[in-house]
Amino acid sequence: MNQISSKKQISHIYTLYTNSQFKKAEKLALEFLEKDSHNITVLNLLAIIYDALDETDKALKLFLQILEIDSADYAIYNNLGLLYFKKLSFNKAKEMFEKAIALNKADAVLYANLGNVFLEEIDYDKARILYEKALSLGLNTYQIYHSMAKFHMILNEYKEAENMFLKAIELNPKQSDLLFEYSFLCLKQKEYIKGFDLYRYRYDETKTDKQTFLTAKEKLLKKGVNLQNKKLFLSYEQGFGDMIQFVRYVPMFEQLGAKVYVMVSKLLFTLFKKSYPHISFLLEGQSVLYDYHMPLMDAAYFFETEYETIPYGNGYLSVDKQDSQNIYEQYFIYETKKKIGIVWRTNLVSGESFSKQKERTNRNAKLEDFLTYFDDSDIQLYSLQVNVNDEERALLNKKNIVSLG
């Protein structure tokens, strides 16, 4: 393989990669490596391609292979750190970033990446020091300001978070992940109209780690549309708590003259149908013809809800009185101890994204660990957790915890 031919092939692989033709790029890279298995440029490029394909383990294996050939390249340690971070292996990520910094103390990005690890490990003092170090070295990217915005949000430093978000947005005004996370700061500060508008970036085509998908983009309901005698399909999204909060808006669409269909989880069907018997609720898998579609959590945006105008603040759900009485008599009537209902983890859909994996790590506890906080003999615990596994069920039984989930 002559040098000119090799350069052309590598350039072609890189072009395919930059055009997001990852599988074609992978195929050509593998063919190249059959003839030149130790070509660091192509090995590095193939590892980056695997990362783009979310084949993290393959990417890790290749970067580790490159280290055996060249252990003095700080960029390889940085790439390994990013991959370990993606796998939530924070100790390994930290080790890689620290090795990268030892080889190149002038690269501000390395300090920012290490700061992100400490942020995940809730070591806010070290995270702050590293972010400030990155800035002192002249780092001026939307990513560093985005990281610092999240850092300040965690510490409830909203003014500082606002400044960081605005700097990041100035540098990258169309970055959907950035605008999506900015929506949370707006909502925390009760800027609901702006916040719910930005929150629509959760299903933007360019957003990574989407959890909300549009069933028909061309039929997405927009403000100002006349809904009189129109069929509106409101789709289910995210968790039970979100659905319970936003189902309050359903009758408001009906008041605009729409025939409303709402997709709901099976576990919420009875509650919602009892509360709104005139609304057509659909279970997952059922379909209906409609004129307009909207994810249910866009309702606050559509009705321009402000903090002072949250609808139905005095209640909007009802349960069957006989069902309520039966449950009371079965589980509570003879119990004299303090009664506490518990949940210990989220319930996420299969195929969850990286951001959801991090959310699971940050929001969940092991049941065995969680129960160590409830040693008081004067309490009776009730599990409200859904999708309890066999190990958890056995522990609940052992501890005489009533399962209501």
Side-chain angles (χ1 to χ4, degrees), residues 117-182:
V117 178
F118 283 111
L119 183 62
E120 290 296 327
E121 292 188 328
I122 321 180
D123 192 337
Y124 300 133
D125 291 336
K126 288 183 180 178
R128 187 192 296 273
I129 290 169
L130 287 159
Y131 289 146
E132 291 176 350
K133 175 68 173 179
L135 291 176
S136 72
L137 289 172
L139 189 60
N140 186 40
T141 64
Y142 86 88
Q143 290 96 333
I144 180 62
Y145 295 123
H146 188 186
S147 293
M148 293 197 71
K150 292 189 286 187
F151 166 78
H152 288 301
M153 273 189 65
I154 290 171
L155 298 180
N156 296 323
E157 298 170 353
Y158 295 154
K159 182 178 179 180
E160 293 83 353
E162 178 90 18
N163 291 335
M164 291 297 131
F165 269 122
L166 293 178
K167 285 183 178 182
I169 292 168
E170 182 180 0
L171 291 170
N172 197 341
K174 296 183 179 180
Q175 218 286 334
S176 56
D177 295 282
L178 175 62
L179 294 165
F180 169 69
E181 291 190 22
Y182 182 38

Side-chain angles (χ1 to χ4, degrees), residues 85-122:
F85 184 84
K86 189 174 183 178
K87 287 173 66 69
L88 310 182
S89 300
F90 297 133
N91 285 334
K92 291 293 292 184
K94 194 188 309 178
E95 177 187 346
M96 294 299 113
F97 290 136
E98 287 173 346
K99 287 183 177 180
I101 290 171
L103 291 168
N104 187 347
K105 294 181 172 61
D107 192 329
V109 171
L110 304 178
Y111 295 95
N113 289 342
L114 184 55
N116 291 337
V117 178
F118 283 111
L119 183 62
E120 290 296 327
E121 292 188 328
I122 321 180

Side-chain angles (χ1 to χ4, degrees), residues 111-289:
Y111 295 95
N113 289 342
L114 184 55
N116 291 337
V117 178
F118 283 111
L119 183 62
E120 290 296 327
E121 292 188 328
I122 321 180
D123 192 337
Y124 300 133
D125 291 336
K126 288 183 180 178
R128 187 192 296 273
I129 290 169
L130 287 159
Y131 289 146
E132 291 176 350
K133 175 68 173 179
L135 291 176
S136 72
L137 289 172
L139 189 60
N140 186 40
T141 64
Y142 86 88
Q143 290 96 333
I144 180 62
Y145 295 123
H146 188 186
S147 293
M148 293 197 71
K150 292 189 286 187
F151 166 78
H152 288 301
M153 273 189 65
I154 290 171
L155 298 180
N156 296 323
E157 298 170 353
Y158 295 154
K159 182 178 179 180
E160 293 83 353
E162 178 90 18
N163 291 335
M164 291 297 131
F165 269 122
L166 293 178
K167 285 183 178 182
I169 292 168
E170 182 180 0
L171 291 170
N172 197 341
K174 296 183 179 180
Q175 218 286 334
S176 56
D177 295 282
L178 175 62
L179 294 165
F180 169 69
E181 291 190 22
Y182 182 38
S183 73
F184 290 104
L185 178 63
C186 296
L187 294 171
K188 281 177 176 287
Q189 297 184 103
K190 301 179 182 178
E191 297 177 22
Y192 281 10
I193 291 180
K194 181 179 180 181
F196 281 118
D197 185 10
L198 290 169
Y199 190 59
R200 293 183 300 143
Y201 276 98
R202 70 192 183 282
Y203 51 73
D204 187 85
E205 290 180 352
T206 63
K207 188 184 183 306
T208 58
D209 298 336
K210 282 189 288 194
Q211 291 103 42
T212 297
F213 299 88
L214 301 180
T215 59
K217 184 179 178 181
E218 69 278 4
K219 292 187 177 183
L220 180 64
L221 181 63
K222 299 179 180 178
K223 286 183 181 179
V225 170
N226 184 354
L227 287 175
Q228 192 67 41
N229 299 319
K230 299 296 183 180
K231 293 181 179 179
L232 173 63
F233 173 58
L234 299 172
S235 56
Y236 169 85
E237 58 172 326
Q238 304 196 41
F240 291 164
D242 300 303
M243 289 295 291
I244 289 171
Q245 286 291 341
F246 284 84
V247 75
R248 70 179 74 206
Y249 287 95
V250 171
M252 296 173 65
F253 287 109
E254 191 178 49
Q255 290 164 17
L256 295 178
K259 171 61 177 175
V260 183
Y261 299 87
V262 187
M263 180 74 71
V264 298
S265 164
K266 182 179 180 180
L267 294 175
L268 293 175
F269 183 87
T270 301
L271 173 63
F272 287 174
K273 192 63 180 176
K274 172 63 180 176
S275 302
Y276 302 108
H278 49 290
I279 298 293
S280 297
F281 289 98
L282 307 173
L283 293 174
E284 294 178 83
Q286 294 181 303
S287 60
V288 65
L289 296 175

Side-chain angles (χ1 to χ4, degrees), residues 40-71:
I40 290 181
T41 301
V42 179
L43 286 169
N44 188 72
L45 187 51
L46 181 58
I48 294 171
I49 291 167
Y50 281 138
D51 183 32
L53 290 167
D54 286 328
E55 296 187 41
T56 307
D57 289 334
K58 287 185 178 181
L60 272 172
K61 184 178 179 181
L62 277 174
F63 280 129
L64 290 170
Q65 182 179 336
I66 295 169
L67 273 186
E68 295 178 0
I69 302 171
D70 181 6
S71 61

